[in-house]
Structure formats: C-alpha cells, structure tokens
C-alpha cells in the first residue's frame, strides 16, 4: 500500500466560514501569468459542454444493477470514461488562458525542508518552489481525465494543482502526496500476472490525481532499444479491479463489477507518463492493476540476453477539504454565502436504520423572483458532483431535497450553490437536515455493527431541539419511501474464520430459514476492510420443496451493499433510485440459485429474502404458505477452487493479500472455465506420452556405455532417463498427470541428471587418468547441485559446466597432440563418423531449446530435444580402452605389482586385420 511521504504540504486559509468546495464552472476569466521565454507553457484545451446530461465519473458497486453485472462485457462499462479527453469548459464563459509554468529539473537526494516530517531520499524534489499567485478558478471536475505523454516532476505536478485546480476563494484545504515503488510489469496471462497497487483516499477529498510514470530498463541501463509495448491500467474503489482483457467467459452466476481502464502509449524512447483525475472520489481503499499485452508464448532462456523490463511507478496526489461543517440532524443552522463564494459544503452522519435523508433550505430576507437563487445537491460518501441529485430553489423562499435509502454508517454531503451568474450580494439562508429512522427497539440496533452510534463522538449526545416552524414538515409525496416497507428486523450472522479467505457466515437457528408470507427476513454479513476484499463472496439459496405444500411459491433474494433493500409485493425488483443490488430467485422448478462476487467491496452486505406466490411478472402475497430456504454464504479464495484445469494462488503486494486463478492446458477465464482454446484429453495424453517415451532414447547410450565398460556413465544416463520420464509425467498442465514424489524433487533430479550427463560424457572423452576422472565426477556433482539450488533456470547453470568440461577436453587433447606431434584423435574416421555428427546433433538440440521452443510447441520440440541429446551421447562417447595381452616378461618380475598396457592403435580403431605389431603405452 502506498504510504504518504509527508504531512500536509500546503495550507490555504480564507477568513470566512465554512470552507468553500471547488466550483463546477468557471466564474470569471483569470489574468494570464507573465510568460517567460525559458519556460514551457502548459496550455489547456477548450471544449464545449455537451448538450446532454453528462455521465457520472464513476459508479460504485452498489449502484450497478444486477442485470448489467451479469453481462459478460459489463466490466467495460466505464472504459470510455477513462479515455483521454481535454479539459472541459462552459460555453457561457470565456476560454481559460494558457499559463506559463516553470519546469524544474529534480535533484536527488531531496533537500531539507521546513515540513514537520523529513521527506525520504527516494522522493526527488526541486530545491525551491516558486510562489505562484493563487487563482480562484477551477476546472470542471465531474469526469476522470487522462493526459498521456506529458511528463511532470512531482513538485511541478503539485504546483500545477495549486495554481490551476485550487478551490474558489482559497478555502481551507489540504494536499497529500503518496507514491509506490516501481514494479516490473508482466505480459497478461491471468490476474496472477498483473501488478496490483494499493492506495488510500481520505474523507472529504474533492480531487484525486494519479500520476503514472512508466520507464524501460535493459541490463541495468535505460532501455532505449526495447520495443514499445502498451501498458493497460485499471482503477477501482473499495476492492481490486475485476479485469478481462482477453474477453473470456466468466463462470456462471458471477457478477462482474465495473472498473476504469486506460491504455498508455509511449512518447519518448524510454519513458512515458499519464495523468488520471477523479473528481470527488469515494473515500477509502483504491486499487490499481497494470499489465503488458499478452505475450507471444516464446520460452526464453534466462541469461541468454538482457531482458527488457517495463516498470510502473504510480503517484497519488489528493486535495481534501478541512473542517467541513457538520450538520446536526433536526437542528437548523443560519449560514451565509458571500458574493465571492459560489458554493458551501456541509455533511451529516447517517446512522444505521436510517431510510431517508431530507435537506431543507430557506432563504432569509429575499424577495421577488430571485428571492432564493440557490440550489441543493446531495451525495453520499463524497462531495456532490454536477450530476448528483439536485433541486433549484428559484423564486420560492425555500426548497427541499430527499435522498432515499442512504448507506448506513457514512456521511451524506450537502452542497449549497448559486447559479453560474450569481446575484452579487451576500445571501443568508437557513439549512436543516432531517434523518428518518426506522422505529426499531434498542436491541435490534445493536445487531448491526455501528448501529448504536447515531452520531460521531465529537458531536456529543445533546438532545435535539424541536423543529422550527419556518422550515415546515416533510411532505409525503408519491416518490417517497414509507417506513414500513424498509424497516424490518436485521438478523446478524456468525462469522467463522477457517483460513485465509476462507470464512463462513452462519445464521442463528439455521442454516434453514422459515419465511412467513407477511414479512421478509433480512440478514447482515460483515466483510472486514482490506482483509476480505481479495477473495470471492459466494451466496447459495436452496428451496425445500416439501415446505410449500403444492403452492406456487417463489422465494426472492436481494443482496445489497451497506443498506438493506426489501422486496415489494407486486413488481419484484432489486433496485431503488440510486441503489441497486443482486436479485436471486428459487422455486419448485429452480430449487438452487447461486451468486458469486469476485473481489467484493468490504463493509456490511444485506440479504433480504421474501416469499411470494403466483407466476411472473406479477406476484402476490401468499396467504398461508411458509417457505423454507437453506442459505449458505461464505468467502473463498477463488471461484470453485479454479476447477480441475487451474490453480488458485495466494498473492501478496506489500501488506495486502489477494487470490487469483492460474489456468493450464489452454483453459482461460476468471475461474478457468473458458474452453475455447482448451486442449482435448487425447491431445493431453499424446503430449504426455511423447515427452515421457522420448526419454527411452537414452537406452542405446546406456547399453553402449555398459559394453564399453563405462559403468559410472551408464548409471548417470539411467538416472537421467528415469527422473526425466517421471518429471514430465508430473509436469503436465492438464489432467493427465502422474507424480511418484514431490514435484520439486522430481524437477531437481531431472535438471541434475541432464547436466551430469553432459559433464560425464565430455570428461570421458578427455581420456584422463582414473583418479583424476573420478575426482572430477564427484566435484562436478557437488558443484552442479549447488548451482541448481541457487537457480535452476539460469543460462550459466547449463553453459558453465559444459564450457568448463570442454576446456578440460581441449586441454587434454592439446597436450596429447603436442606430445605426439600429430592431431588427436589422429584418424579422420573418428572425426567424420562420430565427433562431427555428435557435435552437430548436440548443437541442434541446444538451438531448438534456446530459440525455437514455445509454450504451444513445447511438447514435441522438447521431445525432440530429449532424442537429440540422447543420440549425441551415443556418438560422442569414446570406445572402450582395450588391454594388450602381450605383456613383457619384465613386468611379471615386479612382485605383487602389475602394469596395464593400452594399445593406442586399437583404441583409435587403426589396427588392421593382420594385427600389426605396435609399441604400447603402459601406465602403472
């Protein structure tokens, strides 16, 4: 998780209270700053407002309908919002002029500063920052924007925010800066191959800016010659993003939440950057996931060449308001709005069991048509946007705005603002917020975490005065929500933690639930912050058909986040205004219903169950039928444990844990259920048999070594053949797998046998003394074991012993050639029929292994590698040393000693059929 590097960097205070939030339009045209010839101007791009209602900047999970989430491509719902777009401008206002901002070259380490906490040396800041006059103009911040290719140092990015994106009239605000260390990006195969970044956005934040810095590295230097690969970044609030860049199918009954997504292209040879803005972001955890495009499947040998690395370092700059006025429910407050302030922001805390928030505004002293030129905006959790629910007071002396079913345990923000052309005078008004709560007993309030806390402790427990008559009483309109419809007892669940991301939620007197026809049953399930958002929330309903007594009963379930939503008696929907949930149903024909939510948002989830009779789309309340439903709710690491063709992996990024599936045998998808490119069973069996049976090519070298009396070499070849066969039988990606021991042991023995086969073959070709040869065999076994324990996939683990053995071979042959004054081996038949073919076969095997082998052709290319290596051993293994039986008589006179005479001509195959007499070389 990203940690803030310092305490507040800038504080800007204005005399009037309350603090002023950013204005959604340009009030006036600012004066341009003086332009310097040595500075690069940053120009804003004008664009007219669209005539239609703009879309919101982001959609939380609780505001996405269940129907939309069930579509396979609904994760791209917000993709268009993150595309690069210029700054917006109101058509009624002049263009924002260009400002000349100085560019500074950052210097490391950071210089001392006057902040309360020293900055770490990893943060590069300029020695000094110029003081820019504050500009009381803001950009419209209703939608996220991306500026790609414009590289800004962190200090200059802060300066840009201060000068251009500052709040109107310089209200009291705070700027925080957080960063993550650079991480290497990988090509996308599954979510396990993505890099996840964790940030925290505080409350009262009205602007969050992510500065994405991407650069290349190759061999410890800048990767100027590395190819340009696009980088895709995803954003989501509350939980990691659920992504699907390969457009695979999700498992059945899986809800896919929406995310932001953007793609960055390269503008410089070795680095690029992008800026992503989110206005009024939801507070809490934010997650970024990034990856490279899907790789072509080539299996590269580690260390063969310098790998191109693509690194991403995200930085977060947030601006949040300080001392936002807190309204006490039911208590009116007198406020003023000065001419230079176009808006004022307030907030009220919403306790549990609150089903409606209503804000009432009444102007004081105004008359005529423009008696109250104000408007109200409401939004839960974050400051309102230009597209939040609003009402204009107009010529009336007051107005009222309601928010049905607000999220429990959060703040609801109220913004009071004037029109684009303000009245030019100070406006006095009276503001009162009322909370309508369910008339629940005190015992039921304690069932939901935090329900007993009606207000924060800072507000105290003061008795609320009666409502003043000037604001009137709320009128029950046709769009309001009646208390009995959403005020039902909430039953808690027992949380049982079994393991990481293995949590079961049990209900008291369960697991079966009896649903009477007159009321629903509501259950609450609490997901802990950060700890539970990296798994999969699963819900299963099963109807007991024997409990309905031949009645046509259908049980509906509505799963919502942070506030319960009960079902009506007629039209069955799981949505209400801005709140939407997931709808499930079970009946006599469909007795089981399932729902899976990958990476769920933390907090309290509510499940409302209701039994209705009839046939859709119109249902009626049952008369005398109590349905019995078995409910099972649990949190698991992966969807169905990734099935038979996947492996569920527990991943970690700093202190955050999450789980993801890694598929095999061509299966893809979030739960490894997409079989579009899957390998058939016959193909898996063929590849397994080919990889295993190709090791039988070591049988001829084993027989040849035994006949040539190379018993130790034959034992090494047998060891290699055995463990290579069973390693590949255990290494298969599909279901045709057979493991005789632990996978890691088989892999180690296979790699050790392969390297030892090369080592003993080359040492045997050197024709060394027996004692020297045995020492080298033992020394090679120990050094190879150590090297494989350090790194089994390194290039030098293969080349190092091979080159060292070839050096010993070349030295031995050179010494013999110098002593005998002719080339060794001296016969052309040995070179033509044995050494040259064996070397060509071994070289071809190495080339196939290093440059041709891919994930798609692995099973037959690697099988050819087995056969070529075994064949090269048969050609390169020298013939056995024959003993000359014509031992001189003088040798027998040496008591108990003996001499072993080796006929060099017979060894090289130069003795003719007549048996010519040659001198022998004897060694004792």
């Amino acid at each position: 998780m990203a940690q803030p590097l310092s305490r507040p960097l800038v504080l800007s205070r204005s005399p009037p209270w309350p603090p002023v939030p950013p204005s959604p339009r340009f009030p006036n045209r600012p004066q341009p700053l003086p332009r310097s010839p040595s500075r690069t101007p940053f120009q804003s791009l004008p664009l007219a407002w669209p005539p239609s209602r703009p879309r919101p900047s982001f959609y939380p999970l609780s505001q996405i309908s269940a129907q939309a989430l069930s579509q396979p491509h609904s994760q791209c719902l917000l993709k268009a919002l993150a595309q690069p777009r210029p700054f917006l401008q109101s058509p009624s206002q002049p263009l924002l002029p260009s400002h000349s901002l100085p560019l500074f070259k950052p210097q490391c380490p950071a210089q001392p500063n006057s902040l309360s906490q020293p900055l770490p040396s990893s943060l590069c800041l300029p020695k000094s920052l110029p003081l820019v006059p504050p500009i009381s103009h803001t950009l419209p911040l209703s939608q996220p924007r991306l500026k790609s290719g414009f590289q800004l140092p962190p200090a200059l990015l802060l300066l840009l925010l201060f000068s251009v994106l500052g709040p109107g009239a310089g209200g009291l605000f705070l700027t925080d800066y957080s960063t993550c260390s650079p991480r290497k990006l990988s090509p996308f195969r599954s979510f396990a191959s993505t890099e996840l970044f964790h940030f925290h956005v505080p409350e009262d934040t009205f602007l969050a800016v992510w500065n994405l810095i991407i650069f290349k590295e190759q061999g410890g230097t800048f990767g100027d010659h590395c190819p340009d690969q696009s980088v895709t970044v995803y954003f989501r609030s509350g939980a990691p993003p659920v992504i699907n860049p390969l457009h695979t199918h999700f498992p059945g009954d899986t809800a896919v939440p929406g995310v932001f997504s953007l793609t960055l292209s390269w503008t410089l040879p070795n680095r690029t950057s992008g800026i992503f803005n989110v206005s009024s972001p939801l507070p809490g955890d934010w997650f970024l996931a990034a990856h490279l495009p899907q790789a072509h499947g080539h299996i590269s040998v580690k260390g063969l060449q310098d790998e191109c690395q693509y690194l991403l370092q995200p930085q977060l700059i947030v601006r949040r308001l300080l001392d936002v006025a807190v309204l006490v429910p039911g208590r009116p407050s007198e406020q003023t709005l000065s001419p230079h302030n176009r808006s004022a922001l307030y907030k009220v805390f919403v306790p549990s069991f609150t089903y409606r928030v209503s804000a009432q505004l009444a102007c004081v002293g105004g008359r005529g048509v423009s008696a109250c030129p104000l408007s109200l905006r409401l939004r839960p959790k974050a400051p309102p946007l230009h597209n939040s629910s609003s009402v204009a007071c107009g010529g009336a002396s007051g107005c009222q705005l309601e928010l049905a079913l607000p999220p429990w345990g959060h703040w609801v923000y109220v913004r009071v603002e004037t029109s684009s052309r303000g009245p030019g005078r100070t406006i006095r008004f009276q503001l009162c917020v009322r909370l309508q709560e369910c008339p629940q007993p005190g015992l039921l309030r304690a069932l939901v975490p935090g329900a007993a806390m009606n207000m924060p402790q800072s507000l105290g427990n003061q008795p609320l005065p009666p409502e003043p008559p000037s604001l009137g009483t709320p009128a029950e309109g046709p769009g309001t929500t009646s208390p009995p419809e959403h005020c039902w007892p909430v039953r808690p669940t027992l949380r049982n933690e079994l393991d990481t991301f293995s949590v079961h939620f049990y209900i008291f007197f369960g697991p079966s639930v009896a649903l009477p026809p007159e009321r629903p049953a509501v259950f609450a399930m609490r997901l802990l912050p950060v700890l539970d958002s990296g798994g999969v929330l699963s819900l299963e309903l099963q109807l007991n058909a024997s409990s309905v007594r031949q009645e046509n009963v259908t049980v509906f379930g509505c799963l919502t986040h942070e506030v319960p939503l009960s079902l009506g008696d007629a039209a069955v929907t799981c949505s209400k205004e801005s709140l939407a949930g997931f709808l499930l149903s079970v009946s006599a024909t469909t007795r089981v219903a399932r729902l899976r939510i990958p990476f769920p948002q933390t907090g309290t989830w509510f499940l409302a169950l209701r039994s209705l009779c009839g046939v859709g789309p119109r249902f009626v309340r049952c008369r005398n039928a109590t349905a019995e439903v078995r409910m099972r709710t649990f949190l698991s690491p992966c969807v169905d444990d990734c099935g038979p063709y996947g492996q569920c992996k527990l991943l970690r990024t700093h202190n955050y844990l999450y789980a993801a599936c890694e598929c095999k045998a061509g299966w893809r998808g979030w739960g490894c259920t997409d079989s579009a490119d899957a390998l058939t069973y016959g193909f898996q069996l063929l590849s397994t048999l080919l990889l295993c049976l190709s090791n039988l090519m070591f049988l001829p070298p084993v027989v040849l070594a035994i006949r040539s009396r190379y018993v130790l070499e034959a034992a090494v070849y047998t060891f290699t053949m055995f463990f290579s066969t069973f390693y590949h039988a255990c290494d298969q990606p599909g279901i045709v797998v057979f493991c005789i021991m632990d996978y890691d042991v088989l892999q180690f023995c296979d790699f050790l046998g392969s390297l030892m086969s090369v080592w003993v073959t080359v040492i045997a070709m050197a024709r060394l003394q027996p004692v020297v040869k045995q020492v080298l065999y033992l020394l090679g076994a120990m050094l190879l074991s150590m090297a494989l324990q350090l790194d089994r996939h390194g290039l030098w683990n293969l080349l190092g012993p091979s080159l060292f053995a070839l050096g010993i071979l070349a030295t031995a042959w050179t010494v013999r050639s110098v002593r005998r004054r002719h080339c060794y081996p001296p016969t052309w038949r040995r070179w033509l029929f044995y050494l040259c073919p064996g070397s060509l076969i071994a070289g071809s095997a190495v080339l196939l292994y290093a440059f041709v082998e891919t994930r798609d052709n692995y099973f037959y290319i690697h099988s050819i590698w087995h056969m070529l290596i075994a064949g090269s051993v048969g050609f390169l293994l020298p013939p056995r040393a024959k003993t000359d039986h014509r031992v001189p008589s003088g040798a027998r006179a040496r008591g108990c000693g003996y001499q072993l005479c080796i006929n060099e001509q017979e060894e090289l195959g130069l003795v003719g059929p007549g048996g010519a007499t040659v001198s022998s070389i004897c060694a004792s």
Side-chain angles (χ1 to χ4, degrees):
M1 177 177 175
Q3 300 294 336
L5 296 182
S6 65
R7 289 188 176 179
L9 299 180
V10 172
L11 284 177
S12 175
R13 186 181 300 272
S14 59
W17 184 92
V20 181
S23 173
R25 296 181 183 271
F26 298 105
N28 294 302
R29 178 171 181 171
Q31 297 297 328
L33 297 177
R35 185 180 300 273
S36 173
S38 62
R39 297 174 179 176
T40 304
F42 174 79
Q43 298 182 355
S44 61
L45 303 178
L47 184 67
W49 286 95
S52 60
R53 181 184 179 90
R55 292 180 293 180
S57 60
F58 54 89
Y59 296 88
L61 177 61
S62 59
Q63 297 182 3
I64 302 176
S65 61
Q67 292 80 2
L69 292 177
S70 62
Q71 299 299 326
H73 299 289
S74 59
Q75 71 276 7
C76 302
L77 176 65
L78 305 175
K79 186 174 182 180
L81 298 180
Q83 300 301 324
R85 60 183 71 199
F87 294 141
L88 303 178
Q89 178 192 1
S90 173
S92 61
Q93 301 297 334
L95 302 180
L96 181 67
S98 303
H99 300 286
S100 178
L101 298 180
L103 295 177
F104 293 90
K105 182 177 181 181
Q107 300 180 5
C108 287
Q111 301 297 325
N113 54 75
S114 59
L115 300 177
S116 57
Q117 290 185 358
L119 298 178
S121 58
S122 60
L123 175 62
C124 300
L125 289 176
K127 293 184 178 180
S128 62
L129 291 176
L131 297 178
V132 179
I135 303 176
S136 61
H137 302 84
T138 60
L139 296 174
L141 305 177
S142 59
Q143 295 186 2
R145 292 182 296 274
L146 168 68
K147 297 288 290 182
S148 177
F150 187 77
Q151 180 63 42
L152 291 176
L156 188 57
L157 187 59
L158 287 172
L159 178 63
L160 174 65
L161 291 175
F162 297 157
S163 58
V164 180
L165 303 179
L172 185 63
F173 61 89
L174 185 89
T175 302
D176 291 332
Y177 174 76
S178 302
T179 185
C180 286
S181 58
R183 297 186 203 166
K184 175 186 173 183
L185 301 181
S186 303
F188 183 83
R189 296 190 305 272
S190 64
F191 194 84
S193 61
T194 62
E195 285 295 327
L196 191 65
F197 301 88
H198 184 197
F199 289 92
H200 182 78
V201 175
E203 292 182 344
D204 304 336
T205 297
F206 67 88
L207 176 64
V209 179
W210 275 275
N211 183 30
L212 308 175
I213 303 175
I214 307 172
F215 51 94
K216 307 175 187 176
E217 284 187 358
Q218 185 179 19
T221 60
F222 293 109
D224 296 338
H225 302 289
C226 293
D228 294 342
Q229 296 194 44
S230 60
V231 178
T232 306
V233 186
Y234 303 86
F235 298 79
R236 189 187 174 201
S237 170
V242 181
I243 63 176
N244 187 21
L246 302 182
H247 305 291
T248 57
H249 295 289
F250 279 85
D253 307 319
T254 302
V256 184
V259 296
F260 294 116
S261 66
L262 57 92
T263 302
L264 298 176
S265 58
W266 295 87
T267 56
L268 295 177
N270 54 20
R271 64 187 295 127
T272 186
S273 65
I275 299 176
F276 184 74
N277 305 340
V278 178
S279 302
S280 296
L282 292 179
D285 298 313
W286 277 77
F287 295 87
L288 277 67
H291 63 81
L292 298 175
Q294 185 181 16
H296 49 77
H298 177 69
I299 302 177
S300 59
V301 180
K302 184 178 179 181
L304 185 61
Q305 60 181 358
D306 292 333
E307 180 185 4
C308 289
Q309 297 184 358
Y310 301 83
L311 295 95
L312 170 63
Q313 182 180 17
Q315 301 171 348
L316 173 64
I317 301 176
V318 297
R319 302 200 73 184
R320 58 188 177 96
L321 299 170
L322 294 180
D323 299 332
V324 178
V326 178
L327 300 176
V328 180
R331 176 182 295 176
S333 59
E334 296 282 346
Q335 303 292 336
T336 59
L337 197 62
S338 59
H340 61 276
N341 288 342
R342 291 178 44 202
S343 62
L345 187 65
Y346 311 90
K347 63 181 180 180
V348 60
F349 184 77
V350 177
S352 300
F353 296 99
T354 300
Y355 66 91
R356 184 166 58 199
V357 176
S358 60
Q360 300 173 349
L361 185 145
C363 291
V364 179
R367 295 181 180 180
V369 179
S370 59
C372 193
L374 300 176
S375 60
L376 277 174
R377 295 186 185 273
L378 292 180
R379 187 189 175 198
K381 299 183 182 180
L385 297 168
H386 70 277
N387 51 7
S388 303
S389 58
S390 62
V391 61
C393 299
S397 59
C399 54
Q400 176 177 331
L401 182 61
E402 295 182 351
L403 178 63
L405 300 176
W408 294 353
H410 293 275
W411 297 96
V412 169
Y413 290 82
V414 183
R415 173 177 288 175
V416 179
E417 59 185 11
T418 62
S419 59
S420 57
R421 298 178 180 178
R425 58 181 175 85
T426 301
I427 303 176
R428 298 177 56 207
F429 59 91
Q430 195 177 47
L431 182 63
C432 182
V433 177
R434 291 172 51 88
L435 303 180
Q436 299 189 17
E437 304 181 44
C438 298
Q440 297 287 343
L443 177 61
L444 292 179
R445 285 177 170 267
L447 296 180
V448 180
M453 184 183 64
N454 292 336
M455 296 294 293
Q457 297 180 359
S458 59
L459 300 180
N461 297 322
Q462 307 178 28
L464 301 180
E467 179 187 347
S470 59
L471 294 179
T473 58
E476 294 291 339
T480 59
T481 304
S482 58
E485 183 181 353
H486 300 285
C487 294
W488 298 105
V490 178
R491 298 174 57 179
T493 57
L494 178 63
R495 177 186 175 95
N496 184 17
E497 297 186 8
L498 304 178
D499 201 348
T500 305
F501 299 131
S502 182
V503 181
H504 285 255
F505 298 93
Y506 299 102
I507 61 175
F508 295 95
F509 311 105
S512 297
V513 181
L515 301 176
E518 65 274 4
R519 66 179 183 272
V522 183
F523 301 90
M525 294 157 290
R526 176 77 172 174
L527 297 186
L528 300 181
V530 178
L531 297 178
D532 295 339
S533 61
V536 178
L537 179 63
S538 300
L539 173 63
E540 180 178 327
L541 299 179
Q542 184 176 1
L543 176 65
N544 186 2
S546 61
S547 64
V548 295
R549 298 179 182 179
Q550 305 298 326
E551 295 280 348
N552 192 7
V553 178
T554 302
V555 177
F556 294 93
C558 181
L559 182 65
T560 54
H561 187 231
E562 295 181 336
V563 59
L565 179 60
S566 61
L567 301 170
D569 295 336
V572 180
T573 59
C574 193
S575 61
K576 184 72 174 181
E577 297 182 3
S578 61
L579 177 65
F582 307 97
L583 182 65
L584 299 90
S585 64
V586 289
S587 61
T589 56
T590 307
R591 299 185 181 182
V592 180
R594 296 182 179 88
L595 175 65
R596 288 178 283 234
I597 306 176
F599 295 160
Q601 289 182 317
T602 56
T604 304
W605 287 80
F606 295 92
L607 175 63
L609 299 177
R610 183 70 182 270
S611 61
L612 298 175
C613 292
V615 181
R618 304 293 296 182
F619 293 89
V620 296
R621 180 180 299 181
C622 299
R623 295 183 179 179
N624 189 17
T626 300
E628 184 177 333
V629 177
R630 180 184 179 91
M631 186 182 73
R632 183 168 175 257
T633 308
F634 58 93
L635 186 71
S636 60
C638 300
V639 177
D640 293 337
D641 202 20
C642 302
Y645 294 100
Q647 181 182 7
C648 186
K649 289 192 172 183
L650 184 63
L651 307 171
R652 182 179 67 88
T653 168
H654 293 290
N655 60 344
Y656 181 76
L657 293 176
Y658 61 101
C661 290
E662 190 170 63
C663 305
K664 52 188 179 181
W667 291 75
R668 301 188 304 174
W670 194 263
C672 300
T673 56
D674 191 338
S675 60
D677 301 327
L679 304 179
T680 62
Y681 177 81
F683 188 86
Q684 297 178 43
L685 182 61
L686 175 63
S687 61
T688 303
L689 292 177
L690 195 58
L691 286 170
C692 294
L693 298 181
S694 61
N695 289 284
L696 296 179
M697 283 293 296
F698 274 95
L699 285 177
V702 170
V703 174
L704 182 62
I706 294 177
R707 291 189 58 183
S708 301
R709 297 181 182 178
Y710 292 105
V711 181
L712 187 59
E713 289 80 355
V716 173
Y717 300 151
T718 305
F719 179 90
T720 303
M721 178 181 62
F722 178 83
F723 280 102
S724 179
T725 299
F726 287 99
Y727 165 69
H728 286 290
C730 185
D731 188 48
Q732 294 307 302
I735 60 176
V736 186
V737 179
F738 180 72
C739 298
I740 62 173
M741 59 182 67
D742 187 68
Y743 174 83
D744 187 71
V745 176
L746 290 174
Q747 186 186 63
F748 176 83
C749 294
D750 174 59
F751 286 19
L752 178 62
S754 301
L755 295 180
M756 280 298 299
S757 298
V758 176
W759 176 262
V760 299
T761 302
V762 177
I763 296 299
M765 294 172 61
R767 294 284 191 178
L768 302 175
Q769 295 291 336
V771 176
V772 177
K773 184 173 69 173
Q774 293 172 7
V775 170
L776 289 177
Y777 281 176
L778 184 60
L779 184 62
M782 293 186 295
L783 293 179
L784 288 175
S785 301
M786 180 196 67
L788 290 177
Q789 192 65 26
L790 293 175
D791 187 6
R792 299 181 187 177
H793 301 279
L795 176 65
W796 289 104
N797 288 343
L798 177 63
L799 290 183
S802 302
L803 294 178
F804 184 67
L806 289 176
I808 295 176
L809 175 64
T811 303
W813 284 9
T814 303
V815 170
R816 288 183 178 177
S817 300
V818 171
R819 286 181 178 178
R820 301 171 186 181
R821 297 183 180 180
H822 60 78
C823 182
Y824 182 86
T827 173
W828 62 270
R829 294 184 181 90
R830 184 67 183 171
W831 285 96
L832 181 62
F833 296 111
Y834 296 98
L835 297 181
C836 290
S839 301
L840 290 177
I841 294 174
S844 302
V846 173
L847 292 177
L848 287 177
Y849 178 80
F851 301 103
V852 181
E853 193 172 271
T854 64
R855 291 185 177 89
D856 296 331
N857 60 17
Y858 172 81
F859 74 98
Y860 60 87
I861 292 295
H862 201 75
S863 301
I864 297 175
W865 149 270
H866 288 165
M867 294 183 287
L868 292 179
I869 289 296
S872 64
V873 170
F875 280 94
L876 296 177
L877 193 66
R880 71 174 177 178
K882 296 181 180 180
T883 303
D884 191 355
H885 298 286
R886 295 188 298 267
V887 180
S889 58
R892 297 186 182 94
R894 291 189 178 184
C896 297
Y898 66 93
Q899 280 187 334
L900 178 64
C901 298
I902 302 175
N903 193 325
E904 193 175 28
Q905 298 295 328
E906 291 181 358
E907 174 190 348
L908 301 178
L910 300 180
V911 179
T917 303
V918 294
S919 59
S920 301
I921 301 176
C922 299
S924 54

